C-alpha cells in the first residue's frame, strides 16, 4: 500500500527493520534535546505528515526497548492517526521511571503500525444474546 507523506524532518522516512516487521520506527524531530522528568509527559514531534487511504489507521505504539530499559512509553497507547488527519504526527511520551530521560533529535521514540479498520453502526435493541461468559470481566476467569 502506498502512503502519501510530507517529510519536514531532517531524518529519513520511517521504514521496516525486517521483512516481517509490523511497525516502523518514528524518530524525534527536535531542535534541542527534551528532558522527561519522572512521571512527566510531553508531545514529541516527528516532522512527518501522512495521508492514509480510507479504511486505514496508523497506530502509534511504544518501543519495547525504551519501555523495558528506561520506563518510557506512549501514554495514549495505541495512539490513532485517522485517515482524514493531515497534521504533524506527534508522539505522547511519558516517563514512568524514577530517573530523568533525555530524548535526543533522531532518537527512535515509537513505532507506527498501519491497520485496516471498520466503522460500526449501532443498532438499538432491548437485550443482548446470552453467552457463557455473560457480563464477567476484569479478572473473572481467575489467576491460573
Amino acid at each position: 500500500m502506498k502512503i502519501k507523506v510530507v517529510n519536514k524532518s531532517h531524518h529519513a522516512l520511517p521504514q521496516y527493520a525486517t521483512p516481517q516487521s509490523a511497525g516502523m520506527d518514528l524518530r524525534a524531530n527536535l531542535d534541542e534535546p527534551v528532558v522527561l522528568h519522572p512521571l512527566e509527559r510531553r508531545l514529541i514531534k516527528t516532522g512527518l505528515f501522512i495521508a492514509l487511504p480510507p479504511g486505514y489507521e496508523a497506530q502509534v505504539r511504544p518501543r519495547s526497548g525504551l519501555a523495558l530499559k528506561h520506563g518510557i512509553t506512549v501514554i495514549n497507547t495505541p495512539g490513532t492517526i485517522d485517515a482524514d488527519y493531515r497534521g504533524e504526527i506527534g508522539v505522547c511520551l511519558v516517563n514512568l521511571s524514577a530517573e530523568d530521560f533525555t530524548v535526543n533529535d533522531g532518537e527512535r521514540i515509537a513505532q507506527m503500525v498501519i491497520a485496516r479498520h471498520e466503522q460500526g453502526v449501532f443498532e438499538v435493541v432491548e437485550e443482548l444474546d446470552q453467552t457463557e461468559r455473560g457480563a464477567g470481566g476484569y479478572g473473572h476467569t481467575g489467576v491460573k
Side-chain angles (χ1 to χ4, degrees), residues 79-139:
T80 295
I81 301 168
D82 295 308
D84 58 353
Y85 177 67
R86 295 297 181 268
E88 182 175 2
I89 295 173
V91 179
C92 300
L93 289 184
V94 63
N95 180 354
L96 298 179
S97 78
E99 307 289 330
D100 284 353
F101 180 80
T102 301
V103 181
N104 292 299
D105 181 52
E107 186 161 0
R108 296 178 299 155
I109 56 170
Q111 58 181 322
M112 182 171 66
V113 174
I114 307 300
R116 183 182 295 271
H117 71 83
E118 299 286 333
Q119 285 190 330
V121 177
F122 285 112
E123 176 185 356
V124 177
V125 296
E126 294 299 317
E127 60 183 51
L128 302 175
D129 61 312
Q130 297 297 314
T131 65
E132 184 178 332
R133 179 176 180 172
Y138 302 99

Side-chain angles (χ1 to χ4, degrees), residues 47-58:
L48 299 173
F49 303 74
I50 61 174
L52 294 166
Y56 287 86
E57 67 165 324

